[in-house]
C-alpha cells in the first residue's frame, strides 16, 4: 500500500473529487410511467447542486466518467475509473474520491477499485435506491454522507468503501440484500465498518495495519474471461461446458451450501481444473465462508476455495490474478486468503 504524503492544510477544507458513473442516484422519473424511472440522467454537477451546504464540507470537483445504469457496468468503465483515480492521487489533486454509482453492481466496482488503487487515500462509492425525482429521494443525503466520509482523516488506510443510508461498509464484505429497500446494503460476515450522520463520521475500529492486496491496473478491456456457474437442484454440466466452449480461463462456482454442487458438475469442474482452468468454489448462500477441503476435497479436485468472497467478487479477484499472470493454484488460494 503506497502511503500518500499530502495532508489537509490547517483551516483548509479537504479536496474531494466526485466521479459520476450514473445509476439511480442520477435517475429521473420516466414521463411515460407512474412508477418507472430512467437511471443515469442527472449529471455530476446536478447531484452536487441537490445537496445544500456540500461545499461547506469539502472543496469539490466533479468529473463525469459515464452515465449508465450499473447493470451495464463494464470493464472499460472500471479501467477508466482506476486510471482517473490514480491520476488524481498521484498528482495530489484531491484528498479523497467519491464515486456515484448504481447500486446493482456497486459492490463489484468497489471490490475492483479496492484491489487496484494503491493509495491510502479514501475512495467512497455511493448510490441511492430512489431516483433523484422521487419523494424522499435518498441520493442527496447519501452523497452528503459519502463526501463527509471521504473528507474525514480517519478514512485513510481503509481502502474503498460503500456508503448508503448512514452506514459505511468495506469493499470486501458489502453486498446488496434487498431489491428495493433503502436499507439494502449489509456486510454479512463482518458487519459495517462505521456509521455517519450529519454531525459525525464514526468508524467501529482503527484502520487495519495489514497491507492491502493490490494489483497493477489491467492493461486493457475486456479483463480475462471468467464465468460464474450457478448451482441448483437437478443440475448437469451444461453451464461448465458452455463456459469452457466460450474460452473461459476461470470458472467460479456459485455453489449450494459450503460451495458444493451436483456430481456431474464436480467432475466437469475438476477435469477443467486439471487442464489448467482456474476453478474457485464460492457459495450462493450469501454469508459464511466456503471451507477448504471440507465437503469437497480441493486438494484432490484441483480447486480453490473462495472463503468469504461471494461469487461476483470471486470472479473479479480471479480476473485480476489472471491479468497479473498468476495461475498457480496455491498462489491463487493464497490470494483468496489475503483478499
Ligand atoms: N439499476 C440501478 C443501477 O444499478 C439500480 C440503482 O442504482 O439502485 O444502476
Amino acid at each position: 500500500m503506497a502511503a500518500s504524503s499530502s495532508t489537509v492544510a490547517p483551516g483548509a477544507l479537504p479536496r474531494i473529487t466526485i466521479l459520476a458513473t450514473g445509476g439511480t442516484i442520477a435517475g429521473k422519473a420516466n414521463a411515460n410511467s407512474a412508477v418507472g424511472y430512467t437511471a443515469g440522467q442527472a449529471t455530476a454537477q446536478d447531484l452536487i447542486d441537490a445537496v445544500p451546504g456540500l461545499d461547506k464540507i469539502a472543496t469539490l470537483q466533479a468529473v463525469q466518467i459515464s452515465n449508465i445504469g450499473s447493470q451495464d457496468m463494464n470493464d472499460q468503465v472500471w479501467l477508466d475509473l482506476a486510471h482517473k483515480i490514480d491520476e488524481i492521487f498521484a498528482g495530489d489533486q484531491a484528498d479523497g474520491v467519491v464515486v456515484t454509482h448504481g447500486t446493482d453492481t456497486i459492490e463489484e466496482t468497489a471490490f475492483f477499485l479496492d484491489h487496484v488503487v494503491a493509495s491510502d487515500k479514501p475512495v467512497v462509492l455511493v448510490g441511492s435506491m430512489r431516483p433523484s425525482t422521487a419523494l424522499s429521494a435518498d441520493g442527496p443525503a447519501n452523497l452528503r454522507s459519502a463526501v463527509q466520509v471521504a473528507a474525514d482523516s480517519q478514512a485513510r488506510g481503509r481502502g474503498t468503501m460503500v456508503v448508503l443510508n448512514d452506514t459505511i461498509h468495506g469493499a470486501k464484505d458489502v453486498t446488496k440484500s434487498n431489491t428495493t429497500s433503502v436499507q439494502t446494503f449489509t456486510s454479512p460476515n463482518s458487519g459495517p465498518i462505521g456509521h455517519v450522520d450529519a454531525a459525525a463520521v464514526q468508524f467501529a475500529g482503527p484502520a487495519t495495519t495489514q497491507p492491502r492486496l493490490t494489483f497493477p491496473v489491467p492493461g486493457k478491456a475486456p479483463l480475462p474471461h471468467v464465468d460464474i456457474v450457478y448451482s441448483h437442484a437437478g443440475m448437469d454440466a451444461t453451464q461448465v461446458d458452455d463456459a469452457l466452449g466460450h474460452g473461459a480461463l476461470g470458472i467460479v462456482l456459485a455453489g449450494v451450501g459450503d460451495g458444493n454442487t451436483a456430481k456431474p458438475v464436480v467432475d466437469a469442474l475438476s477435469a477443467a481444473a486439471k487442464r489448467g482452468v482456474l476453478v474457485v468454489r464460492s457459495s450462493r448462500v450469501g454469508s459464511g465462508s466456503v471451507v477448504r477441503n471440507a465437503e469437497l476435497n480441493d486438494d484432490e479436485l484441483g480447486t480453490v476455495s473462495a472463503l468469504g468472497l461471494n461469487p461476483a467478487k470471486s470472479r473479479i479477484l480471479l480476473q485480476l490474478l489472471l491479468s497479473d499472470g498468476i495461475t498457480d493454484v496455491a498462489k491463487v488460494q493464497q490470494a483468496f486468503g489475503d483478499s
Side-chain angles (χ1 to χ4, degrees), residues 204-231:
T208 174
T209 51
Q210 297 288 326
R212 249 179 322 119
L213 175 66
T214 54
F215 297 88
V217 178
K220 60 176 172 46
L223 302 184
H225 183 163
V226 176
D227 277 342
I228 297 174
V229 163
Y230 192 93
S231 191

Side-chain angles (χ1 to χ4, degrees), residues 136-209:
S136 300
D138 51 334
N142 287 344
L143 181 57
R144 185 194 151 93
S145 298
V147 170
Q148 276 179 271
V149 172
D152 194 289
S153 59
Q154 298 297 312
R156 284 181 85 129
R158 296 178 191 269
T160 301
M161 291 163 270
V162 173
V163 170
L164 264 91
N165 207 32
D166 301 344
T167 313
I168 312 167
H169 297 273
K172 177 177 180 180
D173 202 23
V174 64
T175 196
K176 190 172 186 176
S177 67
N178 186 286
T179 52
T180 55
S181 168
V182 293
Q183 182 39 47
T184 183
F185 283 94
T186 60
S187 291
N189 285 340
S190 61
I193 62 168
H195 289 91
V196 50
D197 59 31
V201 175
Q202 279 175 333
F203 287 103
T208 174
T209 51

Side-chain angles (χ1 to χ4, degrees), residues 89 95-98 119-124 149-152 155-157 159 161:
F89 287 155
D95 301 301
V97 164
V98 168
S119 171
D120 70 346
K121 289 183 178 181
V123 177
V124 179
V149 172
D152 194 289
R156 284 181 85 129
M161 291 163 270

